[in-house]
Amino acid sequence: MIKNRIKVLRAERDWTQEELAQRVGVSRQAIISIEKYKYTPSLELAFTIAKIFQVAITDVFVQEAEKDE
């Protein structure tokens, strides 16, 4: 599973889901789905999100190891 820190990064900047969505160029529903792990963004969208936050992509998204690995 790909975990993300979008909600935390938004809170640090005092951005709403709508504000982030507008900055990234997606719908608010897309941001909600990503935050709730119901949707994994494309690599292009993941890089765009990281760029908007001005952090490395690995500071936003982390692949969590499977339990039996």
Side-chain angles (χ1 to χ4, degrees), residues 17-30:
Q17 291 169 330
E18 182 65 32
E19 287 171 319
L20 177 58
Q22 288 176 357
R23 292 170 189 262
V24 176
V26 298
S27 69
R28 183 175 67 85
Q29 288 77 12

Side-chain angles (χ1 to χ4, degrees), residues 12-50:
E12 289 174 356
R13 290 155 180 80
D14 199 29
W15 293 351
T16 65
Q17 291 169 330
E18 182 65 32
E19 287 171 319
L20 177 58
Q22 288 176 357
R23 292 170 189 262
V24 176
V26 298
S27 69
R28 183 175 67 85
Q29 288 77 12
I31 299 299
I32 292 168
S33 294
I34 295 168
E35 285 184 358
K36 291 185 175 184
Y37 307 113
K38 294 184 178 186
Y39 171 70
T40 302
S42 67
L43 189 56
E44 182 178 5
L45 179 54
F47 272 106
T48 300
I49 291 169

Side-chain angles (χ1 to χ4, degrees), residues 1 25 59 67:
M1 171 182 263
D59 291 334
K67 292 183 180 183

